[in-house]
Amino acid sequence: MKGRYTVVAAGLTIVLVATVAVSLATGPSPLPAGRAMRILLSPLPGLHGLAPQASEAEQAIVLNIRLPRLILALLVGAALGVAGGVMQGFFQNPMAAPSILGVSAGATLGATAAIMLGLNWWILGVSPVPVAAFLGALLVSVAVYFLSRRGGRTPITLLLLTGIALGSLCSAISSFILVRGQQGDLDLVIFWMMGSLANRGWPEVWMVLPYVVVGSVIVYAYSRDLNALLLGDEQAHHLGIPVERVKLILLVLASLLAAAAVAVTGIIGFVGLVVPHLIRLMVGPDHRILLPLCFLAGGIVLGLSDMVANLAGEIPIGIITSLLGAPFFLYLLHRRREYEF
Amino acid sequence: MDDAHTLAAEGIVCGYDDEDVLRDVTLDVAQGEFVGLIGPNGSGKSTLLRALTGILPLRSGRVLLNGQPLAHYTRRQIAQKIAVVPQLSGSIFPFTVRDYVMMGRTPYLGRLQFQRPGDGQIAQQAMTLTDVTHLADRPITDLSGGEMQRATIARAVAQQTDVLLLDEPTAFLDLNHQREIFELLKRFNTDQDMTIICVSHDLNLAAQYCPRIVVLKDGVVYDDGPGSQIISEQMVRQVYGAPVQVDIGPGGKPRVSLLPAGLEQGRPQP
């Protein structure tokens, strides 16, 4: 597996570079990919001469519109990929996704409330919707955790069922707010629930970046603990893992990653489910290898999906990821025999 | 520090919810002992293993590891001293046998350390001992019950602990594999002076292999001593409530035979 890991990592890096080049070149006013890359690199010290004939408009399109949106797509995809990988390991269930702890439902409730109540306080250039979505996602996942504690332990089945119950509760409240609202707000909420990176720029990048970077690094430091957790709580104990503390840390981090992602883009399905799955098929279940590759692959998948969404006339990206992800996932399920129990 | 007591329970009381499963258990296990822990279902055998490893909080009493209360150790330090083989182990995630055995090194690794020099060799030796080397690259999800149990014992061996606790390691294995596992334990015990406590439902296996037998009944130690003294028709009838005949088997060890309904009365008196 170790040799294969290097091959997969190298392959993904190449695909990432290609994704960057193609994605910066595509849009309403297309550029040759090489030219887009030269414009991308030209602001770096010593590389000024790279794009001498690029117009100011071209520079602005690549560096101020497409680049931040691409970086945001890569970051959000990476966050969803890593969060999904953690959740699937944590719940010892390859069907788990970041939404399992009610992150999506909580974010939706937060966003719905913010939109419908017409909240209008802006903080540091950031609209109230992502802030409310972020808080909603975190509050719900924290509530799921504490409602699942029994005598100092948090059994996995209990977390799972509590997540489903609280998720449904949040969805019901969201729906109630929705049916009481006005048509225009309703449209906003529905579009938010389908996810989009349209019109996102540097402010959103700076908002998400710290969570994704810090969250992913700390998660990685716990990747061996996660491997031990895959053998069950008791065996992890016997391997010297302080199980409850590690569980809490991993849940908080995965929720933070997913919450930060959906807060700025809205709900994006299937990335957190399919990406860890696919990578696990390629390199096996060792999280020390799996999680960094989920980070890379999640970014690539969302970068490419956003390009398709943009080309298709700015349709919500959640539609693209589910439209492509669901059939692919069905194919995986059909091919693998280990799910037949 | 008193080396005589590698692992000791002093009047421990613990259980689940409102119920005490262990009610005042005291037990001293010295370095190099091989103890068979027997008793009927619900007598507290697995609970005692949980208490001895500090997983289950005690309501009263204390557990001593090398003379120090267990509470003075971190989880990681305990895992460097006690390894546990559960009844059923595994994962639905397809780790290779080698990676699985390498997890036994977990208590020795730093947070960002992939593996230390020598870890590969330790895992390799553990796999050789338990005869799973030929399975090294197979996913654990493909193993048979006996192979999986041997891989888990290899993982416990790779943990390089003084004490090995096993919870019915042969429960789901056929005769030959039962024998293999107990032969292996016997070797660890005699060759490496490893302290072993093994829960068993099989009185004959326990009598055959474990020099010391501890009988649990209703959460207390009912009897404790050499197998030939402990295992008797009277003990089995009182503890398990089952009519048996005990005679002398091969190697001079007690042999327990269950008596079916018809034979119960007419059996020859010893």
Side-chain angles (χ1 to χ4, degrees):
Chain A
M1 279 305 176
K2 300 291 186 283
R4 209 149 151 208
Y5 155 60
T6 331
V7 175
V8 174
L12 283 178
T13 312
I14 293 169
V15 177
L16 177 67
V17 173
T19 304
V20 170
V22 175
S23 165
L24 290 180
T26 13
S29 48
L31 290 169
R35 191 180 170 91
M37 281 304 262
R38 281 203 297 277
I39 294 175
L40 170 68
L41 297 175
S42 61
L44 295 176
L47 293 175
H48 256 296
L50 261 184
Q53 70 281 62
S55 69
E56 238 168 75
E58 281 175 343
Q59 295 219 14
I61 288 173
V62 171
L63 296 178
N64 295 337
I65 296 175
R66 289 182 192 166
L67 182 61
R69 180 166 168 171
L70 172 65
I71 292 177
L72 188 66
L74 296 178
L75 286 174
V76 167
L80 292 175
V82 171
V86 171
M87 292 295 189
Q88 290 178 7
F90 187 92
F91 286 100
Q92 293 164 45
N93 188 335
M95 299 296 135
S99 58
I100 207 161
L101 282 178
V103 171
S104 303
T108 305
L109 178 56
T112 307
I115 292 169
M116 291 311 219
L117 301 175
L119 293 186
N120 211 10
W121 27 262
W122 289 60
I123 305 164
L124 304 171
V126 170
S127 98
V129 175
V131 176
F134 184 71
L135 291 178
L138 278 191
L139 279 178
V140 171
S141 45
V142 167
V144 168
Y145 177 81
F146 282 105
L147 287 175
S148 306
R149 279 184 78 82
R150 291 287 182 283
R153 293 174 57 241
T154 38
I156 279 169
T157 319
L158 207 52
L159 275 169
L160 210 65
L161 295 174
T162 312
I164 291 172
L166 272 193
S168 300
L169 185 66
C170 291
S171 300
I173 301 173
S174 301
S175 302
F176 180 75
I177 302 177
L178 268 181
V179 295
R180 294 279 154 171
Q182 292 162 356
Q183 190 59 47
D185 292 342
L186 205 84
D187 291 347
L188 280 179
V189 171
I190 288 182
F191 268 93
W192 188 88
M193 283 167 68
M194 292 190 286
S196 174
L197 278 92
N199 304 320
R200 309 296 199 277
W202 289 114
E204 283 85 3
V205 170
W206 297 129
M207 223 159 73
V208 174
L209 186 74
Y211 292 103
V212 178
V213 171
V214 174
S216 300
V217 169
I218 304 179
V219 160
Y220 185 71
Y222 282 89
S223 50
R224 189 187 21 245
D225 303 46
L226 196 50
N227 283 347
L229 281 181
L230 292 191
L231 306 178
D233 285 8
E234 204 147 312
Q235 295 213 57
H237 261 297
H238 295 317
L239 289 174
I241 308 292
V243 171
E244 284 310 317
R245 197 174 76 213
V246 168
K247 273 184 165 180
L248 179 60
I249 290 170
L250 284 174
L251 277 187
V252 166
L253 289 172
S255 301
L256 262 182
L257 282 170
V262 298
V264 291
T265 60
I267 306 299
I268 298 177
F270 268 97
V271 178
L273 179 64
V274 178
V275 166
H277 239 280
L278 187 65
I279 302 296
R280 196 178 298 110
L281 288 183
M282 291 195 280
V283 301
D286 187 342
H287 284 82
R288 296 171 297 177
I289 292 168
L290 185 68
L291 291 179
L293 294 183
C294 285
F295 185 93
L296 263 184
I300 292 170
V301 165
L302 212 66
L304 290 175
S305 300
D306 186 44
M307 204 173 73
V308 175
N310 187 1
L311 282 179
E314 217 51 283
I315 64 171
I317 191 171
I319 296 179
I320 305 289
T321 55
S322 296
L323 211 54
L324 300 177
F328 179 68
F329 195 62
L330 283 174
Y331 164 75
L332 287 183
L333 294 184
H334 189 69
R335 269 198 46 200
R336 307 289 298 186
R337 65 187 164 78
E338 58 250 43
Y339 305 127
E340 296 165 11
F341 52 77
Chain B
M1 244 172 49
D2 187 357
D3 279 333
H5 311 286
T6 293
L7 195 54
E10 287 183 353
I12 56 175
V13 177
C14 62
Y16 312 96
D17 299 322
D18 297 331
E19 195 195 350
D20 288 340
V21 177
L22 296 183
R23 306 174 296 130
D24 194 11
V25 169
T26 296
L27 183 69
D28 258 358
V29 179
Q31 165 85 39
E33 277 201 280
F34 187 173
V35 179
L37 191 56
I38 64 172
N41 292 332
S43 59
K45 304 184 298 295
S46 303
T47 306
L48 179 55
L49 291 196
R50 286 206 183 94
L52 290 176
T53 50
I55 285 187
L56 201 60
L58 302 181
R59 289 170 186 166
S60 171
R62 56 180 193 164
V63 173
L64 298 176
L65 174 60
N66 295 331
Q68 294 284 325
L70 213 53
H72 290 189
Y73 296 89
T74 63
R75 274 254 61 92
R76 192 175 149 91
Q77 288 168 329
I78 295 172
Q80 293 173 0
K81 301 206 175 346
I82 307 176
V84 181
V85 175
Q87 204 174 106
L88 267 181
S89 50
S91 172
I92 60 160
F93 288 92
F95 288 101
T96 62
V97 170
R98 179 179 287 108
D99 285 348
Y100 182 65
V101 174
M102 277 294 280
M103 284 188 193
R105 302 305 295 157
T106 303
Y108 298 96
L109 292 171
R111 190 148 284 299
L112 289 173
Q113 214 170 13
F114 226 82
Q115 68 179 64
R116 298 190 312 175
D119 281 348
Q121 207 188 340
I122 291 165
Q124 186 59 51
Q125 279 168 359
M127 287 194 288
T128 309
L129 272 175
T130 59
D131 192 24
V132 291
T133 310
H134 60 291
L135 303 170
D137 293 315
R138 289 256 299 276
I140 54 173
T141 41
D142 284 0
L143 301 185
S144 73
E147 290 169 337
M148 187 62 212
Q149 205 55 284
R150 293 212 306 276
T152 304
I153 294 177
R155 194 193 71 202
V157 170
Q159 233 171 301
Q160 289 191 318
T161 57
D162 303 332
V163 183
L164 180 61
L165 305 184
L166 304 99
D167 192 356
E168 292 184 54
T170 58
F172 299 99
L173 303 185
D174 60 33
L175 278 179
N176 179 45
H177 284 115
Q178 293 182 8
R179 181 175 174 275
E180 266 178 33
I181 299 286
F182 271 92
E183 286 294 331
L184 198 59
L185 296 180
K186 193 173 146 190
R187 278 220 312 277
F188 292 154
N189 181 241
T190 47
D191 298 353
Q192 297 170 27
D193 204 28
M194 194 183 254
T195 310
I196 298 177
I197 303 176
C198 180
V199 170
S200 181
H201 263 308
D202 191 320
L203 301 186
N204 287 317
L205 270 175
Q208 195 65 246
Y209 285 96
C210 309
R212 176 179 170 195
I213 302 277
V214 172
V215 187
L216 276 187
K217 181 178 193 271
D218 298 330
V220 294
V221 175
Y222 176 88
D223 212 347
D224 180 354
S228 52
Q229 287 174 23
I230 299 293
I231 295 181
S232 66
E233 288 172 12
Q234 194 199 1
M235 181 282 282
V236 177
R237 201 173 321 111
Q238 288 193 353
V239 172
Y240 288 86
V244 290
Q245 178 183 321
V246 175
D247 51 16
I248 302 300
K253 302 284 169 53
R255 177 173 58 192
V256 181
S257 312
L258 266 178
L259 294 176
L263 285 177
E264 213 174 307
Q265 267 80 37
R267 71 198 159 95
Q269 293 302 313

